[in-house]
Amino acid sequence: MTTQSHRLTVDQVAKAFVTPGETLHVLRQVSLQLDGGQSLAIVGPSGSGKTTLLQILGGLDQPDSGSVNINEVNPYKLAESQRAAFRNESIGFIFQDHHLLPQLTVMENVLIPALAFGSASQAQITQAESLVAAVGLADRRTHLPSELSGGQRERVAIARALLMQPAVILADEPTGNLDQKTAGEVTDLLRTLQTETGTILIAVTHSTALAKAMDETMELVDGQLRQLGDANQAVGIAT
């Protein structure tokens, strides 16, 4: 695994949804900056816009205004096909429900990002094998998801997210379906691998334990990111 220098810059991002009764301003001028190896937990009540923010950071939902730059590339200025390729190469996703394909083995699931635009190279296969070993599943590399525990399936999802050596990992409640002990093990593993590879990690979570394991925790309230517990000041992260 290689350590790279990455940077994520989010500047004045806003997003609103028009409903029959009113316009819902979900995000209001959200700004932050993170460098490779840094991690951020985003907390807040359900419906506060955390998932919307994650989708915008991941190139899945265009903001109404503001910009997102990953290593000086704004994915929303790319054509759709270019954005899809950029997203696949530069952003790793980890979901609460892991989203493994049930008919594929552990190794095949980890290799999915490499297969999205063709076949996996030998280097990518070697990388997948290394990651499967790193997450403690070398002896289960040919197992199907149905033969794995919940914690093991989440480990596969972590390995898959890291396969393309992305600049940013976006995790949406990655420990939400796990018991306390397994959640702690998955959190430690995720943080270790993220630090070793120099990837930026942003996790949306309701878990106090996961939030405490991150370098920084911010709260999304009334569409703005604030330092946790600060009811008055909306701030970003600068390095």
Side-chain angles (χ1 to χ4, degrees), residues 54-78:
L54 222 59
Q55 290 174 336
I56 289 174
L57 299 182
L60 296 169
D61 188 3
Q62 186 158 349
D64 296 333
S65 60
S67 64
V68 175
N69 283 277
I70 299 173
N71 293 341
E72 300 184 355
V73 176
N74 183 341
Y76 295 105
K77 290 187 176 181
L78 301 176

Side-chain angles (χ1 to χ4, degrees), residues 108-121:
E108 290 167 340
N109 267 289
V110 172
L111 282 167
I112 284 175
L115 301 173
F117 297 95
S119 59
S121 67

Side-chain angles (χ1 to χ4, degrees), residues 53-216:
L53 177 57
L54 222 59
Q55 290 174 336
I56 289 174
L57 299 182
L60 296 169
D61 188 3
Q62 186 158 349
D64 296 333
S65 60
S67 64
V68 175
N69 283 277
I70 299 173
N71 293 341
E72 300 184 355
V73 176
N74 183 341
Y76 295 105
K77 290 187 176 181
L78 301 176
E80 182 54 41
S81 60
Q82 293 175 315
R83 189 191 312 166
F86 177 80
R87 186 167 55 235
N88 187 61
E89 294 170 359
S90 300
I91 304 169
F93 295 91
I94 303 173
F95 304 98
Q96 180 173 348
D97 294 319
H98 55 74
H99 294 303
L100 303 183
L101 295 182
Q103 73 274 25
L104 300 185
T105 66
V106 166
M107 271 291 292
E108 290 167 340
N109 267 289
V110 172
L111 282 167
I112 284 175
L115 301 173
F117 297 95
S119 59
S121 67
Q122 184 55 53
Q124 289 168 330
I125 293 172
T126 300
Q127 172 78 348
E129 291 173 341
S130 175
L131 285 166
V132 168
V135 300
L137 294 175
D139 59 343
R140 290 174 169 77
R141 60 196 301 278
T142 61
H143 285 49
L144 298 174
S146 60
E147 300 172 302
L148 305 176
S149 68
Q152 289 170 335
R153 289 193 290 269
E154 202 66 9
R155 287 169 180 264
V156 177
I158 292 171
R160 179 183 59 192
L162 286 164
L163 178 69
M164 305 299 284
Q165 301 181 1
V168 180
I169 294 175
L170 302 175
D172 194 354
E173 296 287 0
T175 61
N177 287 338
L178 304 177
D179 62 76
Q180 184 175 357
K181 179 177 181 295
T182 304
E185 293 171 350
V186 168
T187 297
D188 291 343
L189 173 66
L190 177 58
R191 287 289 283 122
T192 296
L193 291 176
Q194 174 255 329
T195 301
E196 288 178 351
T197 56
T199 303
I200 297 165
L201 172 62
I202 298 177
V204 162
T205 184
H206 287 101
S207 167
T208 301
L210 176 59
K212 286 182 177 179
M214 308 290 273
D215 296 328
E216 184 90 17

